[in-house]
Amino acid sequence: MSPTNSNATTATSRFSNAKGIGCMVLFGLPFALAGLFAGGFAAKSLVKAFEARSWVEVPAQILSAELEVSSGSDSTTYSVNARYRYTYRGKTYTGTRVSFHGGADNIGSFHQDTAAKLREAQTTDALVPCYVDPEAPEEAVLFRQVRWGMVMFLGLFGLLFGGVGFGIMIFGVIGSRRVAADERRQQEKPQEPWTWKQDWADGRILSSNKKTLIFSTGFALFWNLISLPVLFIVPTEVSEKGNYLALLGLVFPLVGFGLIIWAVRSWLRWRRFGESIFEMPKVPGIVGGPLAGVVRATMARPPETSFRQTLSCVQIRRTSSGKNSNTTEKVIWQERRKIKRSSLTSTGKEVTIPVFFAIPYDARETDEKDSSNRTVWRLEVEAEVPGIDYSASFEVPVFMTPESSPIYEPQEEVVEAVVEKLPDEELLRLSRVEVEPLSGGGHRFHFPMARYPGQAAGLTLFLALWGGAIALMLHLDAPFLFPLAFGLFGMLILFGVLDLWLGIQQIDASPRDLVLRSGLVAPLFVRTLGAEDIAEIRAAEGMRSGKHLFYDVKVRSRGGKERVAGKRLAEKDQAELIVRMIQQSLGPRAAG
């Protein structure tokens, strides 16, 4: 690249960066101003109420009192208006201020109750107390008490909008500076994308614990501020209007409670372990080669249990439809392992955990060129310890390089020194698959019901929420097409729930044939394959639950048809063990 072109590119990049900062500031400014206005109004009301504690109480006569009601499409607001006459130090004044919170609102029943009280005083010519500023007698108020519900609402509104606005502006500036630095590195080494991020180039990658802490706290605060009014609206809807369907709204505070737990756990983990570091002696991790290094974790001594490591290749897609956007993550490759305790080193303040993975040659490399369709690699390290468990996640660089090899095999002594290999009996126990011998030779592999109750319960809860959404559509007389479409998809979810709770599978492998049975509660469907008709038996990627990839045992006949013989094995080692045992039971006539 010539100096002229380089300067032009740099200038364009700086212009784009400055433009991006300006857009973020302009976008966040209205939110920040709205937050400042609401917060300032709440503060002003509090200051006035505090000052009014020293004002003089005098009797006042109500001249007029009315309740102004304004109905909109989705809410009704109230405002109490009044005129009253009072005398202070021999001089008569007329006042109109009812409280220090002016304007209309529907927070609580202050306006309705006050209007009723003032009307009664006007009708009966009863005097009511008002409070006069002795330094400015023309300034008075009937109710000097603080409306705490109003103050809380304005404070929450100010905190929410102000936090969002200033957060957008601050992160816009910080993010734009980081992007500019990454762009400079990209121009310097366009053929080495693993050097475009500073931590990748240094081979010292910080965990995401701090980012998780900030995000979980901010999101929990945002969600709960938004959903807090539901706790006041739902009881009113149920008790006064008999609208029991409104109870569905309690889902939002319930989710908010879960987010609070997440945020608290993030704080506790950060306080105990701080930030972990993944050090890579050689950057990057290689497609068709190794990903190696050490994780430095702040802890006094190694845990009694093993460290667990998971390396995942994740595809992140962002789709947009109008003003709405949706981001999905799909695990497309994953390997998990336990680390030998003997391979750990400790200084009394820090534990060093070795990391070694062999990445297959056909795996995808890190790709972040398209922000709406990215491929990232994540290394996760976990351990069970007393109190809050240790957990750290790192985004690591994995690329195709000249060292990539389709026949790469790691040195066995390196793997054996680091990775804890479980005996076959333990792998079978963890797989929750029951194995028993057949009388004629071979083995029966029984996959019982509800092997993963956590996943089953999670999908059941999702089905309940989905059903609630359908019920709400029917209650609101939505166009029939919407509940129909949601209902059809709900049937698929229902089948998944039944399969997780009640689904069973059975594999009978003998030297003669392979019998596959499946069904709900009982093995209703039976398929038989002769041993000589089997072309392949393999462990394959199966169901994805969150960030966890499960494995299936698949059988392919010589005719090319493939069937799932056993589903949902939590580890690849478990699936490969069952594949080996099936092959041994079938004997030499099976090709798999």
Side-chain angles (χ1 to χ4, degrees):
M1 180 182 292
S2 67
T4 302
N5 290 338
S6 178
N7 292 338
T9 303
T10 301
T12 301
S13 176
R14 289 175 178 172
F15 174 76
S16 300
N17 189 45
K19 185 178 179 181
I21 294 176
C23 289
M24 293 292 284
V25 171
L26 289 176
F27 183 75
L29 187 59
F31 291 93
L33 292 177
L36 287 175
F37 178 79
F41 193 78
K44 181 181 178 181
S45 301
L46 287 173
V47 170
K48 275 291 187 182
F50 179 79
E51 293 176 347
R53 292 190 305 174
S54 61
W55 289 9
V56 179
E57 179 182 334
V58 299
Q61 180 183 8
I62 303 301
L63 303 177
S64 64
E66 60 181 14
L67 180 66
E68 184 177 333
V69 182
S70 300
S71 298
S73 58
D74 56 353
S75 65
T76 301
T77 59
Y78 305 90
S79 177
V80 57
N81 300 315
R83 291 178 64 252
Y84 51 92
R85 183 185 298 121
Y86 61 94
T87 301
Y88 182 71
R89 291 182 178 176
K91 189 173 181 179
T92 301
Y93 301 89
T94 300
T96 59
R97 177 183 285 176
V98 177
S99 77
F100 292 121
H101 304 276
D105 61 79
N106 55 7
I107 299 174
S109 59
F110 172 80
H111 294 286
Q112 299 94 312
D113 296 342
T114 302
K117 182 177 180 180
L118 296 180
R119 283 172 178 168
E120 181 181 359
Q122 180 186 7
T123 302
T124 59
D125 288 331
L127 298 178
V128 298
C130 79
Y131 303 90
V132 180
D133 183 355
E135 298 181 0
E138 67 278 3
E139 185 173 353
V141 67
L142 290 177
F143 296 89
R144 62 180 177 180
Q145 296 87 350
V146 176
R147 289 182 58 195
W148 289 110
M150 189 67 178
V151 171
M152 288 181 61
F153 174 79
L154 291 173
L156 292 174
F157 185 91
L159 182 62
L160 175 63
F161 277 76
V164 169
F166 285 109
I168 289 174
M169 291 189 288
I170 292 171
F171 283 109
V173 173
I174 295 174
S176 296
R177 290 176 178 174
R178 289 179 178 174
V179 169
D182 291 345
E183 288 176 350
R184 285 195 298 271
R185 284 188 290 270
Q186 181 176 351
Q187 293 164 14
E188 294 169 358
K189 296 183 179 181
Q191 303 303 320
E192 299 180 5
W194 52 89
T195 64
W196 295 354
K197 293 184 179 181
Q198 188 62 56
D199 55 348
W200 287 3
D202 295 340
R204 286 175 55 85
I205 302 172
L206 295 179
S207 70
S208 62
N209 286 1
K210 186 174 182 179
K211 294 179 182 177
T212 302
L213 169 64
I214 295 173
F215 179 79
S216 62
T217 304
F219 190 60
L221 180 63
F222 177 83
W223 183 279
N224 283 282
L225 289 176
I226 290 294
S227 60
L228 186 62
V230 174
L231 294 175
F232 301 96
I233 295 172
V234 169
T236 302
E237 287 288 317
V238 174
S239 61
E240 297 183 4
K241 301 180 181 179
N243 182 16
Y244 291 97
L245 199 59
L247 291 172
L248 290 173
L250 294 177
V251 170
F252 294 97
L254 183 63
V255 171
F257 180 71
L259 292 174
I260 291 174
I261 295 176
W262 178 34
V264 169
R265 288 178 62 86
S266 298
W267 274 102
L268 292 175
R269 182 171 289 115
W270 173 260
R271 182 178 179 182
R272 181 171 184 182
F273 302 111
E275 198 78 276
S276 296
I277 301 174
F278 176 43
E279 293 184 349
M280 300 179 66
K282 188 174 182 180
V283 181
I286 301 172
V287 173
L291 172 78
V294 295
V295 171
R296 300 192 180 278
T298 303
M299 57 177 64
R301 59 182 181 274
E304 296 300 324
T305 57
S306 300
F307 278 96
R308 301 182 303 275
Q309 295 178 357
T310 304
L311 181 64
S312 306
C313 180
V314 183
Q315 183 181 34
I316 304 174
R317 285 188 173 180
R318 187 177 73 244
T319 56
S320 300
S321 176
K323 297 181 180 180
N324 300 319
S325 63
N326 182 42
T327 300
T328 58
E329 294 192 2
K330 179 182 178 182
V331 178
I332 55 180
W333 183 90
Q334 187 176 82
E335 188 165 331
R336 294 184 290 272
R337 57 185 41 169
K338 289 185 177 181
I339 303 302
K340 285 184 176 179
R341 203 168 186 272
S342 60
S343 67
L344 308 176
T345 58
S346 176
T347 64
K349 293 183 179 179
E350 181 182 82
V351 174
T352 301
I353 311 148
V355 175
F356 187 88
F357 285 90
I359 301 175
Y361 187 75
D362 59 355
R364 297 187 192 180
E365 65 177 355
T366 300
D367 185 1
E368 298 187 335
K369 292 187 290 293
D370 184 357
S371 60
S372 62
N373 187 11
R374 300 187 296 135
T375 301
V376 301
W377 285 77
R378 290 184 186 144
L379 171 65
E380 295 172 280
V381 183
E382 301 171 314
E384 295 179 0
V385 297
I388 192 77
D389 290 340
Y390 173 80
S391 177
S393 178
F394 309 86
E395 190 169 309
V396 297
V398 175
F399 288 91
M400 185 79 70
T401 73
E403 299 179 39
S404 298
S405 171
I407 58 173
Y408 170 77
E409 289 290 340
Q411 297 178 355
E412 288 189 12
E413 57 269 22
V414 174
V415 177
E416 290 177 357
V418 174
V419 180
E420 180 181 325
K421 289 290 187 181
L422 296 178
D424 291 350
E425 295 78 9
E426 182 66 9
L427 282 175
L428 277 178
R429 186 187 68 81
L430 294 174
S431 72
R432 306 174 190 179
V433 175
E434 301 165 1
V435 182
E436 60 184 72
L438 296 174
S439 58
H443 291 87
R444 169 172 291 171
F445 303 85
H446 181 63
F447 294 69
M449 295 186 295
R451 286 165 52 232
Y452 298 103
Q455 281 78 7
L459 190 60
T460 303
L461 176 60
F462 182 76
L463 176 63
L465 296 176
W466 195 268
I470 297 174
L472 183 61
M473 292 178 190
L474 295 173
H475 179 75
L476 298 176
D477 295 326
F480 182 70
L481 181 63
F482 291 97
L484 177 63
F486 272 68
L488 292 175
F489 190 75
M491 294 297 293
L492 296 177
I493 303 174
L494 175 61
F495 178 79
V497 169
L498 293 175
D499 188 39
L500 283 170
W501 283 116
L502 305 176
I504 66 168
Q505 288 179 294
Q506 189 173 290
I507 306 170
D508 286 356
S510 70
R512 300 179 305 277
D513 52 29
L514 188 70
V515 182
L516 309 179
R517 297 182 175 90
S518 62
L520 298 178
V521 182
L524 302 177
F525 303 98
V526 181
R527 300 177 181 87
T528 302
L529 291 171
E532 66 280 357
D533 295 330
I534 298 172
E536 182 185 27
I537 305 174
R538 65 187 180 92
E541 297 175 357
M543 181 186 81
R544 293 166 174 83
S545 177
K547 60 183 181 181
H548 196 124
L549 177 63
F550 289 81
Y551 292 87
D552 296 338
V553 174
K554 291 190 175 182
V555 178
R556 182 170 59 85
S557 68
R558 295 190 185 278
K561 189 169 184 179
E562 193 170 60
R563 296 178 175 87
V564 177
K567 292 189 292 188
R568 293 187 291 273
L569 293 159
E571 303 289 344
K572 188 177 181 180
D573 288 347
Q574 299 169 8
E576 290 177 341
L577 171 61
I578 291 178
V579 167
R580 289 198 303 271
M581 294 181 68
I582 292 174
Q583 290 171 340
Q584 292 169 2
S585 298
L586 290 170
R589 287 198 296 172

